[in-house]
Amino acid sequence: MTATIPAAALHSPVIAWFEAHARDLPWRRPEAGPWGVMVSEFMLQQTPVNRVLPVYEQWLARWPRPADLAADAPGEAVRAWGRLGYPRRALRLHGAAAAITERHGGDVPREHAQLLALPGIGEYTAAAVASFAYGQRHAVLDTNVRRVFARTATGVEYPPNATTAAERRLARALLPEDEDTAARWAAASMELGALVCTARTPDCGSCPVASLCAWRLAGKPAHEGPPRRGQTYAGTDRQVRGKLLAVLREAVGAVPRSVLDTVWDEPVQRARALDGLVSDGLVEPLAGQMYRLPAGPAPAAGQAPEAESGIPLYSGKPQLTGTVTQPMGVRAPTEG
C-alpha cells in the first residue's frame, strides 16, 4: 500500500471527512473522560451503538468512577449489562475497575503498558483507550479499520478473518508521526469504516479517498479468501445461557434450579449452559440447588483478556469525536 499511495495522502481527506461527519455520541464528549471511554470500549465490542447507548448512560449514572463499580458486587455489573450480549465483558470491566482502584487510585491509567496490565484488557482496548481518551499515538485496529485498510491499501474486499502481523505493520506504517494527528486518524479511519466503507454496501461515492482506493481502482474484485464467518444464535448454547441469565437478572434473590429448568426444554443442553455460566463466574451456585448472580470476586476465567483475533469491533472517542459501530446488517448476539 505505502509503496503506491503515500500515507500522508490519506490522512488529510479522511480526517477532514471525520470532522464534518462524525456522530455525536456521549463517549466522544470531553465530559465522558477516560472512564467513559473505557466503558464504551467494553460495551461496543460485538454490540451496535443503538443498543449500547441506553445501557452506557445508565451505567455511568450508577457508577461514574471505577471505584464506584469496584465497590459493588460483580453480579450487579452482570445485572446492569442487561442484554448487550457476551456478559463476561461485564465481569472483565468490573475486574478492571477493581484493579484501577487498587493500583491507580481510581484513575484510568494513561500508559499503554499499565492499561494492558489491567484484567480484561487486550491490545486493542489498551490502544483504543490510550488513543481516544489521552490522544496518544497508537495503531487501533478493529474490524472496520481493517476493512478500510484492506480495500484502500491492499485492494481486497475484506481483511483476513483474524488480524495478521502484516496488518499490524501496515497500520503502524499508516500512522501519522504527530501524536494528535495520529489520534484523530485512528478515530477517523474507524468512523469511515463504520459509516461509509461498510462490509456489505460500501458507499464509495461518499468516500473521501475513493480516488486512491486500490480496491475501487481494481474494479472492486470479489472476495477470494475463506468464507466470511456468520454468527448463529437460535438454538445455540448462547441462547440458552441468555435465557438463564435473564431469569437471574430479574430475580431479587437466589433462584431455585426448578425455575431455571423451565427456560429450555432440552435438559442436557440446559445443564451444559448453566454449568458454563457457573464456570465463567457469571452465576454462583448455592446450597439447596439455588443460583444467583455472583456476589464475590469473579474467578480468573471470568477475567481472561479479550480475544485478539480482530473480534473487537467498536471503539469510543470522547475528546476525539469519533467512534465506531457494528457493521450495518450484522445482528449482535444477546449472550455469550
Side-chain angles (χ1 to χ4, degrees), residues 133-210:
Y134 293 115
Q136 297 175 13
R137 183 180 183 272
H138 294 280
V140 183
L141 270 178
D142 82 332
T143 295
N144 289 307
V145 176
R146 294 174 60 224
R147 186 170 58 252
V148 169
F149 290 175
R151 290 174 178 169
T152 306
T154 61
V156 296
E157 185 177 14
Y158 297 118
N161 284 335
T163 306
T164 65
E167 287 181 284
R168 297 186 191 280
R169 288 193 298 270
L170 174 61
R172 290 192 294 269
L174 290 175
L175 201 58
E177 291 298 327
D178 175 72
E179 191 168 60
D180 290 341
T181 305
R184 300 297 290 178
W185 164 252
S189 56
M190 192 172 289
E191 188 83 328
L192 185 66
L195 299 183
V196 174
C197 193
T198 58
R200 295 185 181 180
T201 56
D203 182 7
C204 297
S206 299
C207 179
V209 290

Side-chain angles (χ1 to χ4, degrees), residues 15-336:
I15 292 173
W17 171 88
F18 177 69
E19 298 291 349
H21 299 283
R23 293 164 293 171
D24 178 24
L25 296 172
W27 46 85
R28 299 171 170 176
R29 302 168 190 160
E31 60 267 26
W35 174 237
V37 174
M38 179 173 285
V39 171
S40 74
E41 286 299 334
F42 273 79
M43 290 185 174
L44 288 164
Q45 294 173 24
Q46 296 285 10
T47 307
V49 165
N50 63 346
R51 288 179 57 195
V52 165
L53 281 169
V55 180
Y56 172 87
E57 292 172 349
Q58 294 164 12
W59 189 282
L60 287 183
R62 180 173 180 179
W63 298 304
R65 289 180 50 81
D68 301 317
L69 176 58
D72 224 333
E76 289 306 301
V78 176
R79 192 188 311 277
W81 199 257
R83 299 192 66 79
L84 285 181
Y86 298 101
R88 279 175 289 186
R89 292 179 293 170
L91 290 183
R92 292 168 184 167
L93 184 51
H94 185 278
I100 289 168
T101 302
E102 295 168 3
R103 304 174 194 172
H104 304 287
D107 295 324
V108 176
R110 296 179 61 91
E111 298 301 321
H112 180 271
Q114 293 177 325
L115 289 164
L116 197 56
L118 296 173
I121 300 288
E123 173 58 36
Y124 166 79
T125 303
V129 173
S131 179
F132 304 146
Y134 293 115
Q136 297 175 13
R137 183 180 183 272
H138 294 280
V140 183
L141 270 178
D142 82 332
T143 295
N144 289 307
V145 176
R146 294 174 60 224
R147 186 170 58 252
V148 169
F149 290 175
R151 290 174 178 169
T152 306
T154 61
V156 296
E157 185 177 14
Y158 297 118
N161 284 335
T163 306
T164 65
E167 287 181 284
R168 297 186 191 280
R169 288 193 298 270
L170 174 61
R172 290 192 294 269
L174 290 175
L175 201 58
E177 291 298 327
D178 175 72
E179 191 168 60
D180 290 341
T181 305
R184 300 297 290 178
W185 164 252
S189 56
M190 192 172 289
E191 188 83 328
L192 185 66
L195 299 183
V196 174
C197 193
T198 58
R200 295 185 181 180
T201 56
D203 182 7
C204 297
S206 299
C207 179
V209 290
S211 63
L212 301 174
C213 177
W215 181 60
R216 177 179 171 274
L217 293 174
K220 300 182 181 179
H223 178 64
E224 295 181 351
R228 307 300 294 170
R229 295 176 300 186
Q231 294 181 349
T232 58
Y233 182 68
T236 65
D237 284 4
R238 286 192 293 117
Q239 184 179 22
V240 184
R241 286 162 59 102
K243 288 180 175 293
L244 292 168
L245 275 182
V247 173
L248 292 163
R249 279 196 304 266
E250 294 298 323
V252 176
V255 175
R257 175 69 177 261
S258 59
V259 172
L260 296 176
D261 285 346
T262 65
V263 306
W264 196 256
D265 291 336
E266 210 290 301
V268 174
Q269 186 179 25
R270 185 180 65 235
R272 183 172 65 241
L274 182 58
D275 288 346
L277 290 170
V278 171
S279 177
D280 289 341
L282 290 163
V283 172
E284 182 177 342
L286 304 173
Q289 292 286 291
M290 302 291 287
Y291 295 84
R292 68 181 181 190
L293 296 178
Q303 297 180 352
E306 69 187 16
E308 291 299 328
S309 60
I311 292 300
L313 299 182
Y314 320 105
S315 160
K317 313 130 183 76
Q319 291 95 332
L320 295 177
T321 341
T323 195
V324 61
T325 183
Q326 183 166 1
M328 296 177 183
V330 176
R331 178 181 180 280
T334 55
E335 220 300 306

